[in-house]
Every structure is written in structure tokens, then in C-alpha cells.
Amino acid sequence: MLRVAVLIAFLVVPVVQVVAQRQGATGPLAIGLGAERRGDFQVAATNYFVVLSENPDESQAILGLSRVLPALNRREELVPVLRNALARDSTNIGLLSLAVRTWSLLERPDSARRYAERWSALVEGEEEPFREWAQSALEARDRASAKLALETG
């Protein structure tokens, strides 16, 4: 009887592991990443939002949205996502960088400046927060904000 139980365990456990791995590969994050790679940005965005509804701190979904929403001309939808993520972790440099870029490209220089200054306070002496602000402002063709970013930093 013990031998049968051990044999079943050896046969069933690997099958269960393979099924679990396959289910993980078909979750909304995997579907979103696959859709993004194929250029199906609408499907990708939908799946990234599903991931964030289940786990608002999932950085891969936030970054995925930052790539696909601009392609769909829906960059504005990234604002509440970033606000929620930064409310949970206001010291995450990756999120602060994305916030600076997003607000600059949405032509909201006051918000971009606020997040650049937050980021700068975390990395004293580094110019990167202000360079990111300046580059993003230039990308949005906002020369006045770019100049202010460089003068501030």
C-alpha cells in the first residue's frame, strides 16, 4: 500500500506542477505581455488592468500600461494607476521616474516638478530626476519646462 501511494505521488505531483505552471503562463499578466509583443495593445491594456485590479502594486503591469497606453492614445489613464502606486510606495524610484515622464508628456509641468523633487530628495546630489524631467519636457515640446528642469537640478 505504501508503495502504491509513493508511486502515485511521483506520478501526480509532476503533473500538478506542470498544470500550475501552464495556468500561470496563461494568467492576465502573461496574456498582456504576449499581446503587447504581438502589437495587440488593446488586449494588453485590458489584461494589465485586470492584474492591477487584483494586485495594485504589480510593477510589470504598471510598466506594461506605460508602454501600451500611449500607443492607444490613452496615456491619461496611467495617471490614477501611478497615483495609487505612489500612495502605496512613495519612495519607489522607478515609479517616481515614470511619474515625472508621464506628467511631463501630459504637459503638467507642476506635477512633473513635484515628482522630480521627490525623487531628487531620495538620491541627493544626482541629476537624473531633473534630466528625466527635461528630456520628457523636450519630448512634449515644452522648452520652458525643460529649461526650468535643468536650472532647478
Side-chain angles (χ1 to χ4, degrees):
M1 183 70 167
L2 181 61
R3 287 183 188 172
V4 172
V6 171
L7 182 59
I8 290 173
F10 277 109
L11 293 174
V12 171
V13 170
V15 171
V16 170
Q17 289 174 340
V18 167
V19 169
Q21 288 173 350
R22 286 186 180 163
Q23 286 177 345
T26 60
L29 183 59
I31 293 170
L33 290 168
E36 182 182 349
R37 278 191 290 271
R38 290 188 312 277
D40 192 348
F41 300 134
Q42 181 61 48
V43 170
T46 299
N47 280 280
Y48 291 145
F49 277 120
V50 168
V51 170
L52 290 173
S53 72
E54 297 168 1
N55 180 6
D57 298 325
E58 177 55 60
S59 60
Q60 287 188 40
I62 295 169
L63 291 172
L65 283 174
S66 76
R67 293 186 301 265
V68 300
L69 290 177
L72 296 168
N73 201 25
R74 293 170 41 196
R75 187 185 309 269
E76 185 75 34
E77 292 177 42
L78 194 54
V79 170
V81 171
L82 283 172
R83 283 195 180 128
N84 288 337
L86 285 165
R88 287 177 173 71
D89 185 1
S90 63
T91 62
N92 183 316
I93 292 174
L95 289 174
L96 290 168
S97 171
L98 186 55
V100 169
R101 180 167 179 69
T102 299
W103 271 272
S104 289
L105 293 172
L106 288 172
E107 298 178 11
R108 297 182 184 174
D110 293 339
S111 295
R113 179 183 187 149
R114 182 175 70 234
Y115 288 105
E117 289 172 346
R118 270 196 210 174
W119 177 11
S120 177
L122 295 172
V123 292
E124 288 185 37
E126 302 240 352
E127 297 176 353
E128 187 60 28
F130 300 101
R131 261 199 313 258
E132 180 68 33
W133 177 21
Q135 289 173 342
S136 299
L138 283 175
E139 191 174 329
R141 302 196 191 294
D142 182 356
R143 291 182 185 191
S145 291
K147 182 179 177 185
L148 178 61
L150 295 174
E151 290 171 348
T152 304

